[in-house]
Amino acid sequence: NYPDVNEVFHRDGSDAMRWFLMSSPVLRGGNLVVTERGIRDAVRQAVLPLWNSWYFLALYANAAGHDGVFRTDSDHVLDRYILAKTHDLETDVRSSLDAYDLSGACGTVREFLEVLTNWYVRRSRDRFWAGDADAIDTLHTVLEVTCRVAAPLLPLTTEEVWRGLTGERSVHLADWPAAADLPADESLVTAMDDVRRVCSAALSLRKASKLRVRLPLAKLVVAAPEAAELAPFTGIIADEVNVKRVELTTDV
C-alpha cells in the first residue's frame, strides 16, 4: 500500500522521500499516507526550486564571466529584499530546529524558495541577462546561506549546489550561518510581501475577468489602510500586472 522505495529513490531521489516524511503531518501526531503524488510534490516544492536557482545562476554567471562572491551591500531594492528574507529564513529555521519542529522548518524553507524563484529570480531576469554583478553576487550569497540552512532537510541537493557554488568539500562540514552576516530590514520585507500579495490579487482579478496578462490596462486601484507604504513600489506593481498606472487609496 505504498510505492516501492527503490523506485522512488531512482525516479525522485532520496531527498524527495526525506522531505515528504519530514514535512508530513505524522511529525505532529497526524495520519500519513505515502503516495507517489506527495513525494513528487516534494520535488516540485523544494528540490527543483533550489536546483533551478543554482542552474540559473551558473548559466548567467558563466556567460558574464563573473564568479559570484559573498556580498550583502547591493543597493537594488530586490537584492535588499531577498537578503533580508534570507536573514529571516535563518532565524526562523534555526528556531524551528531548536524546538525539534521539522515540519515547521520545512514549511519556512518551502515558502522562501517560492519567493526566491517566483519573485526575485523572475523579476531580476533582465539584470542577469545584462551580467549585473550585484544580482549575480546577491543570488550567490543567498544560495550559499540557503544551502547551509536547508542542509539538514535536503542533504544531497544542498551538497551538490554547495560544492558548485563554493568549490569546498562539503556543506555538512560548514558552520551554520550567522544572522548577523545578513542585513535585516523588517519594513522592506513587510512592504514587498504586501506588493506580492497585491500583484497576486490583481492577477487573480484578471483571470476571473478573462483579461490575459499581455493585455495592457489603464489603471489599477489598490485600496488598503496603509497604502502609502506601497508608493515606492508602484513601478514594480504596474510592470508585474501590466497596467499603465497604479493608484493608491486608503478608502477601503
Side-chain angles (χ1 to χ4, degrees), residues 116-127:
L116 178 64
T117 56
N118 289 330
W119 186 257
Y120 176 74
V121 170
R122 188 171 57 78
R123 294 292 317 162
S124 303
R125 279 178 180 166
D126 289 347
R127 298 171 62 212

Side-chain angles (χ1 to χ4, degrees), residues 27-252:
L27 293 183
R28 297 180 176 178
N31 295 322
L32 175 65
V33 178
V34 180
T35 64
E36 292 187 7
R37 180 177 178 180
I39 296 168
R40 287 171 180 168
D41 282 345
V43 176
R44 178 178 55 82
Q45 294 171 356
V47 177
L48 282 181
L50 180 58
W51 184 262
N52 288 343
S53 297
W54 153 238
Y55 180 82
F56 180 88
L57 173 64
L59 184 68
Y60 287 101
N62 288 337
H66 179 77
D67 292 331
V69 296
F70 194 102
R71 272 182 53 213
T72 60
D73 58 354
S74 173
D75 292 330
H76 195 282
V77 66
L78 288 175
D79 293 344
R80 289 166 43 222
Y81 169 68
I82 200 64
L83 288 168
K85 288 288 282 188
T86 308
H87 172 279
D88 294 348
L89 170 75
E90 185 280 331
T91 303
D92 295 343
V93 172
R94 174 163 44 83
S95 297
S96 294
L97 293 180
D98 284 347
Y100 300 100
D101 181 10
L102 299 182
S103 180
C106 287
T108 300
V109 172
R110 181 176 60 247
E111 291 170 5
F112 175 79
L113 291 174
E114 168 72 16
V115 174
L116 178 64
T117 56
N118 289 330
W119 186 257
Y120 176 74
V121 170
R122 188 171 57 78
R123 294 292 317 162
S124 303
R125 279 178 180 166
D126 289 347
R127 298 171 62 212
F128 283 98
W129 290 337
D132 187 324
D134 283 346
I136 292 172
D137 290 344
T138 297
L139 184 53
H140 173 96
T141 302
V142 168
L143 287 176
E144 196 261 16
V145 173
T146 302
C147 282
R148 285 189 279 164
V149 169
L153 309 173
L154 295 166
L156 300 180
T157 306
T158 54
E159 178 81 327
E160 199 70 17
V161 174
W162 168 269
R163 287 180 177 180
L165 271 173
T166 67
E168 296 181 14
R169 184 178 173 191
S170 174
V171 68
H172 304 292
L173 298 175
D175 291 334
W176 182 267
D181 293 339
L182 297 162
D185 194 332
E186 184 178 353
S187 60
L188 175 60
V189 168
T190 299
M192 191 66 79
D193 285 346
D194 286 342
V195 167
R196 291 173 45 235
R197 281 189 283 270
V198 165
C199 293
S200 178
L203 292 173
S204 296
L205 286 171
R206 270 185 170 277
K207 185 175 181 180
S209 301
K210 298 181 180 180
L211 297 170
R212 54 193 175 85
V213 179
R214 290 187 178 183
L215 175 68
L217 300 178
K219 183 176 68 172
L220 171 70
V221 178
V222 180
E226 300 175 349
E229 296 181 3
L230 301 179
F233 311 105
T234 52
I236 294 177
I237 297 172
D239 184 59
E240 180 70 11
V241 302
N242 195 13
V243 296
K244 295 182 178 180
R245 183 164 61 93
V246 176
E247 180 180 310
L248 303 175
T249 177
T250 58
D251 185 9
V252 178

